[in-house]
Amino acid sequence: MSRKLPLSGIRVANFGWGWLGPVAGQTLSRLGAEVYKIESYVRVDINRTIPPFAHGHDKDPNCSIQNHAAWAGNGSVTINLKKPEGQQLARELAGQCDLVLENFGPGVMKKLNLDYEQLKAVNPNCLLISMPAAGLIGALKNVRTYGMSLSSITGLDSITGYKDGPPIPMENAYADPLGGIIGAFAAVLALNYRKRNGKGQHIDFSQQEGVMQLMGPAFMDLAFNGRVAGPRSNLHPQDAAAPHGVFPCQGDDRWISIAVADDQEWANLVAAMGAPEWARKPQFETLQGRLDNIDPLHSALSDWTGQQDDYKLAEILQKAGVAAAPVLNISDLLSDPHYKARNTFVEVEHPLGFKETVYGNYVKTQHAEAPLATGPVMGQDNEYVFKDLLQMPQTRYDKLVADQVIF
Amino acid sequence: MAIAALEGVRVVELGEGVSAAFCAKLFGDYGAEVIKIEKPAAGDITRHWGPYPDDIPHPEKSGTFFTLNTNKQSVTLDIDTAKGRELLVSLISQADVLIENNMPRQMKEWGLDYASLSKLAPKLIMISITPFGQTGPYANWKAYDLNTFHLTGAGSRYCGRQGEAPLEHGTYSAEYYGAYVAATWGLASVFAQDETGGEHIDVSCAEAIAATFVGGQNIGGFAQDGVFGSRTGVGMPLAAPATILPCKDGFVWMLALEAAQWHGLVNAMGNPDWAKLEMFDDMFTRAQNSDLIYSMMIEWTMQHSKQDIMDMCQENNCPSTAVYDIQDAAEHPHMQDRNYVVELEHPVIGRVRDLGAPVRIPDCPGGPTTAAPLLGQDNETIYREKLGLSETQYRDLQSAGVI
């Protein structure tokens, strides 16, 4: 476990903001990169202002524990990019970095004098990863979305909901952490490109296109048959399994997911249920029969699951060779034995004097593991970055602080 | 001419379904050489899922298989035979990366667990993408994408109406998510492979979503305060407007939080009297009156198309968007401007449209360039030329049903 992480020695200037940009930085940091989020008290990142805050630190932008799990791993330097001296400083930092990340709208980096041409001037091999909502070019390039609604322009929202009903919104921004991870994918891809070609690139990662990959099968049905997919509850996207759904269990809002892909698994399920008469009916014997009769099938299955405990039933069905798992809520995440065993969530000591729970190394590796981090304190890396990395004399540092350039 | 980002990277894919295939496709998109191992006769399960042209099932015509398996070679191999496993180990020994999504117990039974493979190929990067990961009490639980997704808390917390079943998106949301994570870790290890050597990357699709999506904005608050929410069916119950509403030809994601966005929306709606109340300048007050707000808004949205509403809102600095269906999204002029959709020639289907690369490098953009392979189409090339089997050995394996 003592080996170097794969991106050890790679330095990243992260101009990313909100949820997506910091997740991209976090991901690279878990892979060993040294990541500095550039931010400023001039306009505090909106995600630092979201409650809940750590007890005793209400409204402190360094203490939004809502935000810290998603940001942990990013360092932080404070630079006022509204001032030309701030922009100059940001270019100096970018000049010392392998990767520059940003998720502003198109044109913002140019306004800040941080566009690819200017970055190339300070670092000819710079890899700039732009992660705008719909890309840097095209008719929708200036579309304004939040992470929550970004998925609406990918088609993903249109296939989410109860069968034959309206689309139901995912009540948080699935596209943000996913987009941040794809942003990190773009960054490591770019590093591989640079290794082979010895030069930099400006990568245009459209969040829309990255998330729209999840629509691949639906797109093929459009391409082949002109069919337009809609909401379909929890049914198998290609009708290749039945039963396939989420069924009620004992207790308040308790459910179990069950998916049966073939006739053997169906036989296993029937046996686990004690072979009730309804389940032995010929119309349920084959996958096609179960698909054709899926409503009565699901309804009868619900009557059975409704009498049982979700966790216990999952154990029973697993032993019987049926794919089943409890449907977890938020509180289950911290008590579930599997996530506990994998240290998915960990408590860390924040330097400002409180404990916070973040997610740990959710990807496990055999030979090297990233240290755990807390949510970054604004400007926590100023001294190191400006004085050591950029070798700024103390007098200039003090002046830039006084002038609210480092701010 | 630039060298592709993953030129020279040799990948073996040993999996079924979506996660391993999509991860390997991401490698193939950018120039890696991907050999996909399939069961003789049946092939990958997604060959049997469709959608098929004109809905006529055919193992070479499945759209799900196609979109997940471009830029790959296919060889068939019966892994349940000793000779089959021997061939597979030879292929893996010549590879840089193995991408697999089998149950950990199964890999061990085959003698293909990391401990065994790393002895034969110390520089191998093994990427395991499973529902629940290599360790922990559920490691060997049988699970499909749906089971995986609902172990994350995402459905219970965020998707569906109160009192009704929690929902997943109508796609393989968990497997795609895990595959992106796995490809990111995999590409980083490939980048450092010369220096650091081999690695085993253990991705649990459920854990990736539980951590980064659900845990990302919930877990700190729950751990501290012990309170948690659950799904409501409304985009954001505490602020308004922030949800999906019906319109003349479909649906729109109506979103206006800050005062300026709300004023923009009011302007787009033609400044109706009801919306001018000063108390409505606050998104929380609007949420407390959401029944009224949404019913009045629906009167307006029902008169306009989703694209018109999106355009009017966006022009007024309000971030509302149309809920595009797959046709709206794929055939939008924006996607044409960006050439996102590609066309490939397939020997059985003919011309096929597919989605392009998720990320493009200007010098060597990547994306699908060759159609998904026919089952076992590369057997002869791989076994004869790459592994150096003689004509007789090859024929013997064929007649024994190993390949």
Side-chain angles (χ1 to χ4, degrees):
Chain A
M1 271 297 181
S2 56
R3 203 176 73 186
K4 279 199 311 187
L5 285 154
L7 299 189
S8 135
I10 297 295
R11 195 177 293 127
V12 183
N14 187 3
F15 292 88
W17 63 282
W19 191 359
L20 181 145
V23 166
Q26 171 185 77
T27 308
L28 297 171
S29 127
R30 299 241 160 146
L31 290 162
E34 180 184 331
V35 182
Y36 300 106
K37 175 171 158 62
I38 289 96
E39 52 186 334
S40 175
Y41 281 101
V42 172
R43 190 174 176 187
V44 172
D45 192 309
I46 185 166
N47 276 38
R48 286 189 173 279
T49 67
I50 304 175
F53 293 88
H55 286 163
H57 298 269
D58 200 31
K59 298 203 165 103
D60 181 338
N62 290 314
C63 302
S64 163
I65 56 172
Q66 162 85 355
N67 186 44
H68 280 187
W71 280 37
N74 286 277
S76 171
V77 296
T78 50
I79 302 178
N80 179 357
L81 295 175
K82 291 197 192 284
K83 298 197 175 200
E85 304 96 310
Q87 296 169 4
Q88 169 62 29
L89 206 49
R91 281 194 300 274
E92 285 177 36
L93 172 55
Q96 298 297 317
C97 289
D98 301 278
L99 285 157
V100 177
L101 312 182
E102 61 98 2
N103 63 329
F104 301 120
V108 173
M109 286 295 268
K110 194 171 174 70
K111 271 189 212 149
L112 297 173
N113 294 305
L114 290 164
D115 58 304
Y116 185 55
E117 292 309 313
Q118 298 193 60
L119 293 176
K120 247 186 3 187
V122 292
N123 176 2
N125 290 335
C126 171
L127 294 166
L128 172 60
I129 315 294
S130 289
M131 312 180 284
L136 295 169
I137 56 162
L140 282 179
K141 68 175 182 181
N142 290 315
V143 68
R144 288 159 54 93
T145 67
Y146 278 60
M148 215 166 151
S149 55
L150 184 276
S151 46
S152 72
I153 60 168
T154 68
L156 194 58
D157 287 350
S158 78
I159 58 167
T160 306
Y162 299 98
K163 191 165 188 280
D164 301 326
I168 301 266
M170 184 64 75
E171 297 171 43
N172 205 347
Y174 199 68
D176 268 345
L178 177 58
I181 289 161
I182 307 173
F185 168 81
V188 288
L189 182 67
L191 286 171
N192 278 286
Y193 166 88
R194 194 180 68 175
K195 188 176 167 187
R196 284 170 178 72
N197 292 279
K199 63 188 197 111
Q201 284 283 283
H202 182 191
I203 310 285
D204 172 12
F205 158 46
S206 155
Q207 296 171 32
Q208 180 191 28
E209 291 175 357
V211 174
M212 202 168 151
Q213 295 286 311
L214 277 62
M215 297 297 291
F219 175 78
M220 298 310 288
D221 205 10
L222 173 76
F224 285 162
N225 302 310
R227 194 176 289 132
V228 174
R232 43 187 298 114
S233 301
N234 286 301
L235 296 179
H236 189 278
Q238 264 61 54
D239 282 328
H244 192 276
V246 162
F247 304 93
C249 287
Q250 273 179 355
D252 181 27
D253 201 29
R254 304 306 309 187
W255 306 79
I256 189 167
S257 64
I258 300 175
V260 171
D262 57 35
D263 296 342
Q264 180 60 54
E265 290 176 5
W266 170 246
N268 296 346
L269 175 59
V270 172
M273 290 193 288
E277 198 193 328
W278 71 263
R280 286 180 282 133
K281 287 185 181 159
Q283 65 261 39
F284 297 141
E285 251 170 47
T286 64
L287 176 58
Q288 194 54 54
R290 292 191 297 280
L291 287 167
D292 292 342
N293 297 285
I294 198 148
D295 289 340
L297 172 66
H298 278 188
S299 155
L301 189 54
S302 295
D303 290 343
W304 181 70
T305 59
Q307 316 297 316
Q308 328 223 20
D309 175 84
D310 53 352
Y311 267 88
K312 282 184 194 146
L313 183 56
E315 290 278 356
I316 290 167
L317 292 179
Q318 284 292 337
K319 282 204 181 83
V322 177
V327 174
L328 302 191
N329 66 28
I330 303 295
S331 77
D332 297 327
L333 294 180
L334 288 186
S335 61
D336 187 89
H338 189 72
Y339 292 128
K340 275 185 159 171
R342 285 177 70 84
N343 289 317
T344 308
F345 303 102
V346 291
E347 192 177 71
V348 288
E349 188 78 38
H350 194 277
L352 294 180
F354 53 89
K355 288 184 165 59
E356 60 182 10
T357 296
V358 297
Y359 49 87
N361 287 311
Y362 61 94
V363 175
K364 281 34 171 181
T365 43
Q366 196 77 29
H367 299 293
E369 193 174 71
L372 295 173
T374 61
V377 174
M378 286 182 76
Q380 67 178 33
D381 300 298
N382 282 356
E383 296 253 337
Y384 169 74
V385 165
F386 297 126
K387 291 196 217 163
D388 292 355
L389 190 59
L390 301 185
Q391 306 201 335
M392 186 185 284
Q394 184 72 42
T395 47
R396 187 181 168 215
Y397 181 81
D398 291 341
K399 182 163 190 325
L400 290 174
V401 171
D403 292 348
Q404 296 197 339
V405 173
I406 296 176
F407 177 65
Chain B
M1 186 65 185
I3 306 165
L6 302 180
E7 178 90 36
V9 177
R10 298 159 303 173
V11 178
V12 169
E13 175 199 327
L14 179 68
E16 286 274 342
V18 177
S19 59
F22 184 64
C23 181
K25 178 207 125 73
L26 290 171
F27 276 78
D29 269 347
Y30 303 101
E33 174 200 303
V34 181
I35 301 174
K36 182 181 178 80
I37 313 289
E38 298 191 71
K39 290 191 295 277
D44 192 321
I45 185 78
T46 59
R47 290 184 179 275
H48 307 281
W49 284 2
Y52 309 99
D54 303 319
D55 298 324
I56 301 166
H58 186 300
E60 298 297 358
K61 294 185 175 182
S62 161
T64 302
F65 181 82
F66 189 99
T67 193
L68 292 168
N69 292 290
T70 48
N71 296 11
K72 294 182 189 176
Q73 297 174 290
S74 164
V75 303
T76 52
L77 182 152
D78 185 356
I79 199 169
D80 291 319
T81 62
K83 189 65 197 167
R85 287 195 295 277
E86 197 182 301
L87 290 172
L88 180 55
V89 166
S90 305
L91 285 173
I92 293 170
S93 306
Q94 294 185 22
D96 303 294
V97 180
L98 170 65
I99 300 174
E100 63 93 14
N101 65 355
N102 302 284
M103 222 180 255
R105 190 173 56 205
Q106 178 68 75
M107 289 297 275
K108 204 167 161 75
E109 273 170 26
W110 284 330
L112 297 171
D113 53 314
Y114 181 68
S116 307
L117 290 176
S118 63
K119 282 187 202 121
L120 303 169
K123 286 217 153 185
L124 180 71
I125 294 163
M126 176 166 167
I127 304 175
S128 297
I129 319 166
T130 57
F132 307 130
Q134 301 295 300
T135 60
Y138 309 158
N140 286 303
W141 271 18
K142 179 179 247 194
Y144 296 105
D145 174 79
L146 183 76
N147 311 106
T148 309
F149 184 85
H150 283 294
L151 198 86
T152 68
S156 172
R157 171 65 186 88
Y158 287 131
C159 201
R161 283 188 287 257
Q162 215 166 16
E164 293 181 53
L167 294 170
E168 182 182 3
H169 309 99
T171 183
Y172 314 95
S173 205
E175 296 210 17
Y176 274 107
Y177 203 112
Y180 264 130
V181 168
T184 306
W185 257 256
L187 287 197
S189 288
V190 163
F191 172 70
Q193 193 171 21
D194 297 339
E195 218 188 320
T196 57
E199 183 58 284
H200 186 200
I201 297 164
D202 166 14
V203 174
S204 151
C205 298
E207 188 176 17
I209 295 174
T212 60
F213 174 52
V214 187
Q217 294 206 323
N218 277 294
I219 212 66
F222 174 71
Q224 175 180 276
D225 301 321
V227 288
F228 66 94
S230 61
R231 64 199 177 282
T232 66
V234 175
M236 279 173 82
L238 296 180
T243 199
I244 293 174
L245 297 181
C247 67
K248 199 173 169 184
D249 63 345
F251 297 88
V252 274
W253 222 113
M254 296 307 295
L255 188 59
L257 302 180
E258 296 158 24
Q261 295 172 350
W262 169 248
H263 294 148
L265 174 59
V266 173
N267 202 42
M269 292 191 294
N271 293 299
D273 285 338
W274 67 267
K276 289 183 192 158
L277 283 177
E278 207 175 304
M279 63 184 276
F280 286 164
D281 278 1
D282 177 64
M283 65 179 172
F284 302 111
T285 311
R286 292 195 297 271
Q288 283 153 15
N289 298 278
S290 60
D291 285 354
L292 172 71
I293 301 263
Y294 286 139
S295 67
M296 299 306 280
M297 281 176 64
I298 288 169
E299 279 187 24
W300 177 70
T301 56
M302 289 307 288
Q303 293 168 31
H304 302 280
S305 72
K306 54 190 157 185
Q307 188 62 55
D308 285 349
I309 292 169
M310 174 166 166
D311 292 344
M312 285 188 276
C313 287
Q314 296 275 335
E315 275 162 26
N316 281 284
N317 290 319
C318 165
S320 298
T321 43
V323 176
Y324 287 154
D325 60 34
I326 184 59
Q327 186 164 24
D328 300 328
E331 293 175 3
H332 197 284
H334 177 68
M335 289 310 196
Q336 287 162 20
D337 291 347
R338 295 178 62 83
N339 295 310
Y340 183 54
V341 173
V342 298
E343 260 198 14
L344 302 169
E345 188 70 32
H346 184 274
V348 178
I349 316 174
R351 299 292 285 171
V352 180
R353 286 188 298 149
D354 191 11
L355 300 179
V359 168
R360 270 170 291 179
I361 305 171
D363 268 10
C364 45
T369 51
T370 57
L374 302 178
L375 180 61
Q377 71 170 33
D378 301 291
N379 280 357
E380 185 133 10
T381 322
I382 303 288
Y383 291 129
R384 296 289 319 278
E385 289 169 25
K386 203 175 167 81
L387 295 188
L389 297 187
S390 71
E391 177 78 29
T392 328
Q393 285 170 315
Y394 181 70
R395 295 291 159 221
D396 287 350
L397 288 169
Q398 267 186 329
S399 47
V402 173
I403 60 181

